[in-house]
């Protein structure tokens, strides 16, 4: 079992080498279960909203591009499961700042739910009008996920001038991190309900 610091190093090595990294078992099964309980409570209370595309005045809903429902997490949340995730995410931020001098000063994090048949077409996690997102992080909450469920994260990279697609299953406890401004990615159609926590690490407000 890797220590938290070893997991951070694994992620950093991948980002430096390839622009993305995958760390399995970043969240323990009990932590995933507790997050899913909170997730369900928030969803049943009607807290989630259909996700939009764009920023500020350009925001609009576009079901042909993305179909997830989201709920932004409050940074001062006192819910135990949300606090655990926020604290782990902040520990990663602190480690990145101490070892890589990234100057991360803020984060944005939300729950994301994809119903059956939903997807998110190829895109990049940055806005022309507002820079600042340097790393994207995705924590997956899907126990017993099987290939037939689809819902994969597909990251597009380039090697020797040839585009490659990296397919990553949304397995429970898995953390994926990649460079927000450089890598296109998408979520393939889900054939089962798909749950995650998605966030961005920002070096400018």
């Amino acid at each position: 079992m890797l220590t938290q610091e070893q997991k951070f190093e694994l992620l950093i090595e991948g980002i430096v080498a390839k622009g993305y990294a995958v760390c399995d078992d970043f969240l323990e099964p009990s932590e995933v279960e507790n997050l899913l309980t909170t997730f369900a409570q928030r969803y049943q209370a009607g807290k989630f909203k259909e996700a939009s595309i764009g920023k500020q005045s350009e925001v609009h809903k576009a079901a042909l591009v993305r179909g997830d429902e989201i709920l932004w997490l409050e940074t001062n949340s006192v819910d135990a499961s949300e606090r655990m995730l926020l604290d782990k995410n902040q520990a990663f931020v602190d480690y990145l700042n101490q070892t890589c001098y990234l100057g991360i000063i803020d984060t944005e994090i939300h729950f994301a739910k994809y119903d059956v048949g939903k997807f998110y077409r190829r895109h990049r996690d940055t806005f022309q009008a507002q820079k600042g997102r340097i790393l994207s992080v995705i924590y997956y909450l899907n126990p017993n996920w099987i290939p037939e469920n689809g819902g994969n994260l597909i990251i597009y990279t380039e090697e020797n001038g040839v585009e490659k697609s990296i397919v990553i299953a949304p397995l429970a406890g898995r953390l994926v991190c990649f460079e927000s401004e450089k890598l296109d990615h998408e979520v393939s159609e889900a054939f089962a309900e798909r749950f995650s926590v998605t966030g961005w690490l920002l070096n400018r407000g």
Side-chain angles (χ1 to χ4, degrees), residues 11 21-24 26-27 85 89 92 108-112 114 120 123 125 135-142 151-155 168-178 180 185-187 194-201:
L11 290 163
V22 180
C23 180
D24 288 335
F26 190 87
L27 298 178
L85 182 75
N89 192 72
F92 184 37
E108 302 171 328
I109 301 178
H110 66 61
F111 283 128
Y114 288 79
Y120 196 159
H123 65 285
D125 284 347
L135 290 174
S136 302
V137 291
I138 310 173
Y139 302 86
Y140 290 114
L141 310 175
N142 304 293
N152 295 309
L153 173 68
I154 304 173
I155 294 177
I168 302 170
L171 305 181
R174 171 173 283 177
L175 168 60
V176 179
C177 184
F178 56 91
S180 305
H185 58 284
E186 67 177 289
V187 176
R194 179 188 187 276
F195 306 96
S196 64
V197 182
T198 298
W200 297 273
L201 313 184

Side-chain angles (χ1 to χ4, degrees), residues 129-150:
Q130 181 175 343
K131 303 290 185 181
R133 289 179 174 179
I134 56 173
L135 290 174
S136 302
V137 291
I138 310 173
Y139 302 86
Y140 290 114
L141 310 175
N142 304 293
N144 307 312
W145 196 261
I146 58 176
E148 289 76 14
N149 290 342

Side-chain angles (χ1 to χ4, degrees), residues 43 67-69 113-119 189-195:
Y43 193 81
D68 53 324
E69 297 174 81
K113 179 180 185 291
Y114 288 79
D115 281 331
V116 174
K118 300 302 183 180
F119 50 80
E189 183 177 353
F191 299 104
E193 285 188 318
R194 179 188 187 276
F195 306 96

Side-chain angles (χ1 to χ4, degrees), residues 4-32:
Q4 179 170 262
E5 184 172 306
Q6 288 172 326
K7 292 175 181 178
F8 291 162
E9 284 293 331
L10 175 70
L11 290 163
I12 291 169
E13 288 171 8
I15 294 165
V16 170
K18 304 173 294 185
Y20 72 93
V22 180
C23 180
D24 288 335
D25 303 314
F26 190 87
L27 298 178
E28 298 175 8
S30 61
E31 292 172 334
V32 171

Side-chain angles (χ1 to χ4, degrees), residues 70 117 181:
I70 66 172
E181 294 187 352

